[in-house]
Amino acid sequence: MDKPEKLMIDGKRLDGRSPEELRPFKIVAGALERADGSAYVEMGNNKVFAAVYGPREMHPRHHALPDQAVLRCRYNMAPFSVDDRKKPGPNRRSIEISKVTREALEPVMFLELYPRSVIDVFVEVLQADAGTRTAGINAASVALADAGIPMKDLVSSVAVGKVEETVVMDLFKEEDQWGTTDMPIAMIPRKKAITLLQMDGHFTEEEFKYALDLASRGCTQIYEAQRQALKEKYTMRKEEE
Amino acid sequence: MIHVKTRDLVLPGQLIAEGKYKTRDGAFREGENIFSSVVGLADVREETISVIPLGGQYIPRVGDMVIGVVIDDHRAGWIVDIKSTYTATLLVSDFLRQKVDLFKEDISKILTIGDVVAVEVRSVDERMDILLEGGRPGLGRIKSGKMIEISPMKVPRVLGKKGSMFDVIQNGTGCKLMVGRNGRIMVWGKDEGMINNAVEAIFTIEREAHTSGLTDRIRLMLEKMKSEVN
C-alpha cells in the first residue's frame, strides 16, 4: 500500500468523516453460545470477538491468589486479520496488548469476591483496521458484564491521534500508518477515569488536552452503545416467545 | 432518592439510589450513591437494595441444598463438584453422622467417583473453602433418576412462588423432582415419556424465566403433552 498524497482533504478525512467523528460501530452482547459471556464488536473495519470464562478454578493451581481472583487476558490476531498473513501465535505486540487490556479492565472489577479463581478473557481479532486494542477492550468489558461478573462500571475505549496537524478521533489504517500520532485511551465513563493511555508520536500540550477531551466524548458514545447492547440482549429474550 | 423501580433491568455502573440504604449482592456504594454491579433486576426494599443477577456462576451459601457429583476422594472424605467456581469437601463424618474408623473402613465403599449426592452447604469461609453435609433425611446418595442442569439463576423460577411451579410440574407429569440451588435438578418417574415432559417443561421455564404468567403456560403445555400421548 502506498502513502496517499493527502490524508485530509478540505477538513474531511479519506473515509469522509470529520475529525471528531467515530467510525460506524456495532456491539452485540452474548454473541457466542458456549462462553460464559461474550461480545462481538465492529468499529469501522475492525471485527473483534471477546469471550469470558469463569470465575473458574485456576490451573496451574499455584498461580491462583489466596484472597482474590486473577484476571487473565489474551489478545490474539487471526492470521487472516491483516493484509500480509500474520504468523499465528503470540508475539511481542500481542503480549503487550494482552497486558494493557488486563490493566484497563482490572480497576472496575471486584476481584476480591472470587478468591483462588481465575477469570479468563479472550479477545480474538478477525479483521484489523487500526485500533484493535480499543475494540478489544470495548468487547471484553461487555463480555464480562454478560458473564454476570460484578463490575463497578463498563470500560469504554477509543483512539485519538494527529493527522497532518489535525487532531482526529478513531483512526483507521491509513491514518494510523501515515499519521503523526496515535493515542489509544480507555476510560471508566462514569468517573472519567483513564485506565489505558498509550501514545505513539507527538502532541503539544494543547493538542493533548483537546485529544483527551475528544476521547472522552468518543468513549461516552461507545459507552451508550455498550449499555444498549446489554439491554437488547435481555429485552430481546423477553420478546422471544 | 431512588432512580429505578423494582424489577427494572439495571447494568453495571448504573445509579440505583442515593441515600442511607444498605447494599446487598449486586449493588455497591460509593459515597452517598448506590450502583449496580451486575446485569440484573433491581430489588429495592425499604432499607436494602440489591440486584438479582441474570447470569453468572453459582456462589454457595450456607443452608443451600445442592446436587453434587463426587469427583475425587481423600482420606477422610470426598471432593464434590457442585457446578460452582469452587469444588466442595464432604467429610465422612458429615455424610454418615456416625463414627467411622478410617483405618479399618474403605470409604470408597460408601461413595465413589461419579456418585451423585444431595447435600447441604454446611459452611463457606472467606477462602471459599466449602464444607457439605449429607446426613439428614432427604439428603444422601442419589441412586437413580435423570439429572439435568440449568442456569442457577433460574432456579427460583422452577420452584415458583411457594413452590407453585414445582407442584405444577410434579402434578402435571406424575414425576418427582428435586431441585438443587446450584441448578442441578433430579427427575424421577415411572414413565420415560413423562420424565421427558418434565425435562421439557423445566427447559422451557429456563428459556422463558423472565416472562409473566409462566406457571399457567407450563400447566397448559403439560396438559397438552399428556393428551397427545393418550
Side-chain angles (χ1 to χ4, degrees):
Chain A
M1 194 174 54
D2 294 323
K3 184 180 175 190
E5 250 175 58
K6 279 185 129 192
L7 287 164
M8 298 284 290
I9 301 163
D10 301 334
K12 290 263 182 200
R13 300 203 248 166
L14 289 185
D15 57 358
R17 279 185 291 157
S18 72
E20 57 270 1
E21 210 176 321
L22 286 171
R23 286 176 283 187
F25 59 94
K26 175 179 152 189
I27 305 177
V28 181
L32 300 169
E33 190 68 30
R34 312 272 315 191
D36 292 334
S38 60
Y40 172 66
V41 168
E42 280 180 15
M43 281 172 85
N45 288 326
N46 287 310
K47 293 182 176 162
V48 177
F49 268 109
V52 168
Y53 297 86
R56 59 184 177 182
E57 209 173 299
M58 171 73 107
H59 285 289
R61 281 292 256 289
H62 66 269
H63 282 323
L65 299 175
D67 57 346
Q68 66 164 75
V70 174
L71 182 65
R72 206 159 48 177
C73 291
R74 193 182 87 138
Y75 165 98
N76 186 46
M77 282 175 99
F80 52 80
S81 64
V82 276
D83 286 345
D84 293 319
R85 177 177 183 275
K86 181 200 164 285
K87 194 169 166 245
N91 54 21
R92 197 205 95 258
R93 179 176 171 276
S94 75
I95 293 167
E96 175 200 316
I97 296 178
S98 304
K99 174 185 172 286
V100 297
T101 302
R102 188 187 75 233
E103 288 172 352
L105 296 169
E106 251 171 359
V108 296
M109 305 200 59
F110 292 93
L111 291 176
E112 66 282 2
L113 290 178
Y114 303 100
R116 296 190 295 140
S117 67
V118 61
I119 298 166
D120 277 312
V121 178
F122 297 97
V123 174
E124 293 288 329
V125 179
L126 301 187
Q127 189 170 294
D129 189 55
T132 51
R133 75 191 69 192
T134 61
I137 290 168
N138 291 334
S141 101
V142 174
L144 282 166
D146 182 43
I149 295 168
M151 293 196 288
K152 295 189 182 91
D153 200 359
L154 301 172
V155 179
S156 308
S157 178
V158 74
V160 283
K162 191 160 81 170
V163 172
E164 290 173 359
E165 301 307 308
T166 318
V167 178
V168 295
M169 178 147 70
D170 199 14
L171 296 85
F172 65 99
K173 198 172 166 197
E174 279 78 2
E175 291 176 331
D176 184 39
Q177 207 162 347
W178 313 111
T180 35
T181 312
D182 177 26
M183 181 166 82
I185 291 175
M187 285 193 156
I188 306 172
R190 180 160 58 78
K191 289 192 205 156
K192 299 260 175 272
I194 294 168
T195 63
L196 164 85
L197 196 153
Q198 294 181 298
M199 186 161 85
D200 190 355
H202 304 278
F203 270 140
T204 63
E205 201 180 325
E206 288 77 48
E207 281 169 347
F208 181 81
K209 278 180 184 154
Y210 175 68
L212 263 190
D213 177 56
L214 200 57
S216 156
R217 276 187 270 157
C219 285
T220 313
Q221 282 181 45
I222 291 165
Y223 182 59
E224 281 313 313
Q226 286 173 313
R227 288 172 50 92
Q228 201 52 44
L230 285 165
K231 268 187 198 161
E232 255 164 42
K233 180 185 170 186
Y234 290 97
T235 35
M236 190 179 70
R237 284 222 201 136
K238 274 183 186 171
E239 287 155 10
E240 239 168 35
E241 341 125 49
Chain B
M1 252 273 283
I2 294 174
H3 295 278
V4 296
K5 292 197 292 292
T6 285
R7 293 195 64 78
D8 271 1
L9 182 70
V10 289
L11 300 169
Q14 185 171 342
L15 184 65
I16 300 178
E18 292 161 52
K20 290 191 171 73
Y21 295 94
K22 285 180 189 143
T23 56
R24 291 195 18 237
D25 297 351
F28 67 100
R29 165 186 292 281
E30 250 172 38
E32 279 289 283
N33 301 333
I34 292 161
F35 299 97
S36 169
S37 64
V38 291
V39 182
L41 304 174
D43 187 9
V44 183
R45 303 276 169 84
E46 271 178 34
E47 285 183 341
T48 57
I49 286 174
S50 61
V51 178
I52 304 156
L54 288 174
Q57 296 267 349
Y58 168 67
I59 298 298
R61 280 180 203 284
V62 174
D64 283 358
M65 203 284 281
V66 296
I67 294 170
V69 179
V70 177
I71 52 170
D72 206 354
D73 55 8
H74 52 78
R75 258 203 67 70
W78 303 270
I79 295 171
V80 182
D81 166 45
I82 52 168
K83 200 168 168 279
S84 169
T85 305
Y86 306 96
T87 53
T89 305
L90 176 61
L91 296 172
V92 180
S93 51
D94 288 330
F95 189 65
L96 292 179
R97 286 283 178 114
Q98 65 186 46
K99 265 221 161 122
V100 177
D101 189 342
L102 293 170
F103 288 99
K104 285 180 189 149
E105 282 198 54
D106 176 12
I107 64 161
S108 67
K109 289 206 173 104
I110 307 165
L111 277 181
T112 181
I113 295 166
D115 280 354
V116 177
V117 283
V119 283
E120 204 172 281
V121 179
R122 190 168 73 108
S123 79
V124 182
D125 68 11
E126 60 277 11
R127 287 189 67 236
M128 297 305 273
D129 273 326
I130 298 150
L131 280 178
L132 303 170
E133 70 175 304
R136 289 191 294 100
L139 305 178
R141 187 162 96 89
I142 296 169
K143 298 180 186 73
S144 64
K146 191 164 203 154
M147 183 169 81
I148 56 172
E149 288 188 349
I150 62 166
S151 158
M153 302 305 158
K154 307 286 161 61
V155 166
R157 219 50 179 112
V158 174
L159 296 173
K161 277 194 191 113
K162 289 179 188 155
S164 57
M165 186 72 90
F166 184 80
D167 292 337
V168 165
I169 304 172
Q170 285 204 336
N171 298 336
T173 59
C175 293
K176 203 176 157 309
L177 298 183
M178 182 190 243
V179 184
R181 264 318 268 119
N182 57 342
R184 286 208 179 109
I185 300 174
M186 294 300 308
V187 186
W188 295 279
K190 291 198 180 73
D191 181 53
E192 191 68 33
M194 281 309 194
I195 295 175
N196 289 339
N197 285 2
V199 172
E200 184 88 356
I202 292 164
F203 284 146
T204 308
I205 297 165
E206 189 193 13
R207 263 197 318 274
E208 298 173 15
H210 41 266
T211 56
S212 50
L214 191 56
T215 315
D216 292 325
R217 278 213 309 284
I218 293 295
R219 185 182 292 121
L220 289 174
M221 178 185 144
L222 287 172
E223 276 166 17
K224 201 173 149 222
M225 286 204 280
K226 211 171 179 177
S227 59
E228 273 167 13
V229 175
N230 295 335

